Amino acid sequence: MEIRHLRYFLALAEELHFGRAAARAHIEQSPLSRSITQLEQELGVPLFIRSRQGTSLTPAGEALRDHARDILTGVERARRAVARIGGQPNALRIGLSEGLAQPRLSELFQCWHRKYPDMQLRISELPSLQQQEALLTERIDMGLSFGAAQEEGLIVEPLWADRIMAAIPRAHPLAQTKSLTLASAAASCSLVFCHTRLKPGLRMQIEALLRARGISPILAEPVDTLAGMIVKVGAGCGIAFLDANHARTLQRPDVAIVPLVDSDAWLTIFAITKDGRQDDLSAAMARFVMLGRNMV
């Protein structure tokens, strides 16, 4: 049983879609399929049910999913132990999801480097679902995102909240206003959202605010990224909502950024860690959370 086969298996077990799993594993779909078939032949049992309705795990596949996580976790722990014995510097591995590129994050990372120069940060970008798997197998130590789907074994802690801003086409009448309510903005135009699969936390927070107001908005065609969302807004396809920090980085002349004045119109950034993890990096993770919360 090869480690790479277990990684491919886990990607498919999480995605339940050969195309998405192949993209996640950075291989073509054919070698992914062959690897899964080889693994099934080696184990002597089917791991997936393939049908016109889609792909699902067999009971044996569900059992292997849990064991695969344990095996891959052991590999990561061994890698860290060997690196430490070999004298490599300590590093806190952080995964960013949902296109997080806020100036405030950059300020937090710079503050960490000044305060804890002996503990490096290794920062990578991971889609939300991949971030959860990487946390559970300890490939990363902490995830930063707008939130995660409920996943057993993870701790989700708020870091800070930013005011929600409305991104409005410059030609739209509301572009001239100084501030808006969520209800008035949502009622004035179609809303541009990112795909739920790609930006689940961001969309989940906005949709919860809309539901609380009894609003069922008209939705424009979804986009993949926050930058793509602003492009669609600039093209006049609708209005979008985003946090104030991202609004600072995505401003453009064809889009007006207008703050929402509702008392609950805030988007929260969360730190996500593996539940029950106790090792040499646990204290560093706690310090990072505290530093993020204390930044003004």
Side-chain angles (χ1 to χ4, degrees):
M1 188 182 300
E2 298 184 33
I3 294 298
R4 64 185 178 91
H5 286 172
L6 288 179
R7 293 197 186 280
Y8 297 162
F9 162 79
L10 200 52
L12 184 56
E14 296 282 1
E15 298 288 349
L16 295 177
H17 185 282
F18 277 86
R20 291 196 298 266
R24 172 171 165 172
H26 305 293
I27 61 172
E28 296 295 326
Q29 190 167 328
S30 294
L32 170 69
S33 183
R34 286 196 300 272
S35 295
I36 297 300
T37 299
Q38 290 170 8
L39 187 58
E40 290 176 322
Q41 291 173 346
E42 181 179 351
L43 295 173
V45 293
L47 301 172
F48 296 93
I49 299 171
R50 304 157 177 85
S51 68
R52 290 185 178 181
Q53 286 70 44
T55 302
S56 59
L57 283 165
T58 65
E62 291 177 355
L64 181 59
R65 178 184 57 196
D66 297 334
H67 285 297
R69 283 177 175 168
D70 291 340
I71 293 168
L72 295 176
T73 299
V75 170
E76 292 301 327
R77 289 178 178 176
R79 181 179 290 127
R80 283 205 311 274
V82 170
R84 186 169 58 250
I85 293 171
Q88 291 189 17
N90 286 331
L92 189 62
R93 299 162 301 175
I94 296 178
L96 306 181
S97 74
E98 304 186 274
L100 285 183
Q102 299 182 345
R104 186 164 179 174
L105 278 179
S106 298
E107 293 163 8
L108 172 57
F109 297 151
Q110 291 168 10
C111 184
W112 174 271
H113 287 308
R114 290 193 300 270
K115 197 171 181 66
Y116 304 106
D118 294 333
M119 176 67 71
Q120 297 181 358
L121 295 180
R122 293 181 183 167
I123 302 164
S124 58
E125 289 186 282
L126 291 171
S128 185
L129 191 59
Q130 291 186 37
Q131 184 189 83
Q132 294 178 52
E133 183 266 324
L135 285 164
L136 291 171
T137 58
E138 299 182 17
R139 190 156 48 89
I140 62 173
D141 306 306
M142 178 179 292
L144 301 180
S145 78
F146 283 109
Q150 292 299 317
E151 174 73 49
E152 186 177 353
L154 295 180
I155 298 174
V156 182
E157 304 177 87
L159 271 184
W160 65 70
D162 289 315
R163 171 68 64 183
I164 298 177
M165 315 293 279
I168 303 172
R170 185 65 67 179
H172 194 283
L174 290 182
Q176 308 305 317
T177 58
K178 299 295 184 183
S179 62
L180 288 167
T181 64
L182 182 65
S184 61
S188 67
C189 198
S190 298
L191 296 187
V192 181
F193 278 142
C194 292
H195 283 283
T196 304
R197 220 185 138 66
L198 300 175
K199 304 286 184 289
L202 176 61
R203 183 158 177 169
M204 181 173 59
Q205 290 193 54
I206 296 293
E207 288 183 333
L209 292 171
L210 293 172
R211 282 196 305 273
R213 291 161 172 76
I215 298 172
S216 298
I218 299 172
L219 301 181
E221 187 71 19
V223 296
D224 292 349
T225 65
L226 292 175
M229 184 172 71
I230 294 296
V231 169
K232 283 201 97 167
V233 170
C237 298
I239 286 175
F241 299 117
L242 70 166
D243 61 288
N245 259 290
H246 272 108
R248 288 166 58 191
T249 66
L250 296 172
Q251 285 184 324
R252 39 188 288 163
D254 54 352
V255 174
I257 302 295
V258 180
L260 300 185
V261 295
D262 310 67
S263 61
D264 59 347
W266 296 83
L267 282 170
T268 303
I269 299 294
F270 295 92
I272 308 172
T273 53
K274 184 178 180 179
D275 191 13
R277 182 171 167 180
Q278 295 293 330
D279 56 32
D280 57 317
L281 291 175
S282 299
M285 288 188 277
R287 288 197 299 269
F288 187 91
V289 170
M290 188 62 65
L291 187 63
R293 288 176 175 171
N294 290 338
M295 285 190 62
V296 178

